[in-house]
Amino acid sequence: MSSAPDPHDFLDLDAELTEEDRAIRDAVRGYARDHLLDHVADWYESGSLPARELAKGFGELGLLGMHLEGYGCAGTSAVAYGIACRELEAVDSGLRSFVSVQGSLAMFAIHRWGTEDHRTEWLPRMAAGEALGCFGLTEPDAGSDPGGMRTRAVRDGSDWVLNGTKMWITNGTVADVAVVWAQTDEGVRGFVVPTSTPGFTANEVKHKLSLRASLTAELVLEDVRLPGSAAFPEVRGLRGPLSCLNEARYGILFGVVGAARACYRSALEYTLAREQFGQPLASFQLTQRKLADLLVEVNRAGLVALQIGRLKDAGKLHRDQVSFGKLANVRSAIEVARTARSMLGANGISLEYPVMRHMVNLETVLTYEGTEEMHALSLGQAVTGIAAFR
């Protein structure tokens, strides 16, 4: 007779991982336990993050651009990268965002669309955590409609001159290089912009109520002059930036499984230990119903992530399947977090426990890299063949 299921991996999903996947899981989980968990509440409360220190540690672990090939990158499987995102987001969405923006946005853009000079100049240092990158697409008036961006690049002799503003840019205040997308007479193009370039300014976004253990910036470009070689040579239009966003969304659909798992575990441990009316909260029927709901959502999200990871490793993943994962798993995670928060009662709002922090972080995750509404419309178009975006 088989043994009872593990309450923390009820469907035994980790048994489906390869030996390499499990080694990466254990390495990231151990690093999180030893270097991140004891500090993340303080970072969240203070609205700060030791970015350079984290980059060095993540670089030594091989997490930065870990799913890319060559140039100092680890070249792991997509599932392994997803597992790393899961373990980081089990601590905080801001930490997964840090790695995701570095590897799946800035590094992926340079790796996929840049010149060989771009790759050799930036990727080895970024993989090692010696250089940080950011990704400038979203603008104050262009979020879900990136084609409406106002940032513009114009030719001046052999140079490009960029003017515009980007908003909600993770790592913007600490980045050494920014991948900036701008309108040109040839359509949208991408540019590799060293942040030391005159005219480039990064202003910290303050007063956030979510994703506080993350550095967010407004990028201002005022007559930023770049050589012609700064532009990505081939890609035109939104195909370039959207390909990068798809990579980031993949990390999200795995990452939020970690946030949901952390909230479920916190609720389970709390209700087993907390007594009311002379017995543990976990002994009451309503509490057990809530725990069962959390258990189902966490494991269902894990199954979705694993299947999408397998499709990606097989080269069969479609962008609409990524939309499915982002929509379904973030929705599940935020419901788990909200329910777990209520199960902890007044203690649920304290930073002593992780659930409220995860809950408000997931409000941001619900919005960025494609809102819930936009992914729902993508799925609607996928099954009907009718675009309802406008």
Side-chain angles (χ1 to χ4, degrees):
M1 184 176 179
S2 60
S3 58
D6 180 355
H8 300 306
D9 184 14
F10 202 77
L11 296 182
D12 203 16
L13 293 183
D14 278 5
E16 299 297 314
L17 303 179
T18 67
E19 185 175 344
E20 179 188 12
D21 295 337
R22 287 193 288 271
I24 289 172
R25 175 202 64 191
D26 294 342
V28 180
R29 189 178 291 178
Y31 184 87
R33 180 189 62 243
D34 296 340
H35 300 283
L36 303 175
L37 273 173
D38 290 342
H39 305 290
V40 68
D42 291 336
W43 296 335
Y44 184 93
E45 189 167 30
S46 64
S48 64
L49 198 70
R52 294 289 174 183
E53 179 183 337
L54 288 175
K56 181 180 179 181
F58 291 155
E60 290 174 353
L61 274 176
L63 299 183
L64 303 178
M66 61 185 285
H67 55 310
L68 303 177
E69 295 284 347
Y71 307 98
C73 302
T76 66
S77 69
V79 169
Y81 172 59
I83 294 299
C85 289
R86 184 188 74 181
E87 297 305 319
L88 288 173
E89 196 147 355
V91 181
D92 194 88
S93 298
L95 298 173
R96 195 265 311 141
S97 290
F98 182 95
V99 169
S100 182
V101 167
Q102 177 84 346
S104 287
L105 290 179
M107 291 179 69
F108 176 83
I110 293 171
H111 191 278
R112 175 66 180 85
W113 301 115
T115 65
E116 186 61 20
D117 286 344
H118 293 153
R119 299 184 191 104
T120 55
E121 179 180 2
W122 289 108
L123 292 181
R125 288 190 290 148
M126 295 175 79
E130 297 168 0
L132 292 175
C134 66
F135 187 83
L137 177 63
T138 299
E139 296 187 0
D141 298 315
S144 294
D145 180 18
M149 72 175 70
R150 297 179 181 177
T151 298
R152 187 157 185 84
V154 298
R155 290 187 182 273
D156 185 11
S158 61
D159 292 344
W160 288 95
V161 178
L162 276 63
N163 283 280
T165 303
K166 300 294 181 179
M167 191 62 178
W168 306 113
I169 309 303
T170 298
N171 298 347
T173 54
V174 292
D176 301 290
V177 62
V179 173
V180 175
W181 300 90
Q183 297 279 10
T184 75
D185 290 339
E186 308 161 6
V188 173
R189 295 194 64 178
F191 297 85
V192 177
V193 185
T195 59
S196 59
T197 306
F200 182 98
T201 306
N203 303 310
E204 181 184 359
V205 175
K206 299 181 179 181
H207 311 301
K208 295 184 300 178
L209 298 178
S210 174
L211 218 65
R212 291 180 52 78
S214 179
L215 305 177
T216 309
E218 172 198 47
L219 306 184
V220 179
L221 300 98
E222 297 178 309
D223 292 328
V224 172
R225 181 173 292 272
L226 301 169
S229 60
F232 290 152
E234 297 178 5
V235 68
R236 304 288 190 277
L238 293 177
R239 183 168 67 100
L242 294 183
S243 69
C244 304
L245 293 181
N246 222 42
E247 292 294 310
R249 291 163 183 159
Y250 173 80
I252 288 171
L253 68 88
F254 252 102
V256 295
V257 178
R261 185 189 72 196
C263 293
Y264 158 68
R265 288 185 175 185
S266 185
L268 178 60
E269 292 168 4
Y270 185 86
T271 56
L272 284 168
R274 173 83 167 183
E275 289 194 359
Q276 294 287 276
F277 304 104
Q279 54 188 320
L281 282 175
S283 67
F284 293 100
Q285 289 184 0
L286 286 176
T287 300
Q288 291 197 10
R289 174 56 191 263
K290 290 177 181 179
L291 287 171
D293 289 342
L294 302 191
L295 178 69
V296 168
E297 291 304 317
V298 170
N299 282 267
R300 184 157 54 190
L303 278 168
V304 168
L306 184 59
Q307 173 62 7
I308 290 176
R310 286 172 168 164
L311 289 171
K312 187 170 175 60
D313 277 325
K316 298 179 179 179
L317 184 62
H318 189 275
R319 63 179 180 274
D320 290 334
Q321 292 167 321
V322 177
S323 286
F324 180 104
K326 206 270 186 180
L327 176 69
N329 282 7
V330 178
R331 178 186 291 170
S332 290
I334 203 165
E335 288 304 319
V336 167
R338 289 168 178 165
T339 301
R341 207 293 310 154
S342 72
M343 294 171 73
L344 270 66
N347 284 322
I349 72 168
S350 170
L351 276 175
E352 181 181 351
Y353 299 91
V355 289
M356 184 83 168
R357 178 167 50 79
H358 281 299
M359 187 182 81
V360 293
N361 280 343
L362 287 165
E363 292 290 348
T364 293
V365 179
L366 190 71
T367 297
Y368 71 11
E369 315 298 2
T371 65
E372 182 182 41
E373 293 83 358
M374 295 303 288
H375 286 295
L377 291 175
S378 293
L379 295 180
Q381 181 179 359
V383 297
T384 66
I386 303 170
F389 290 90
R390 290 178 173 84

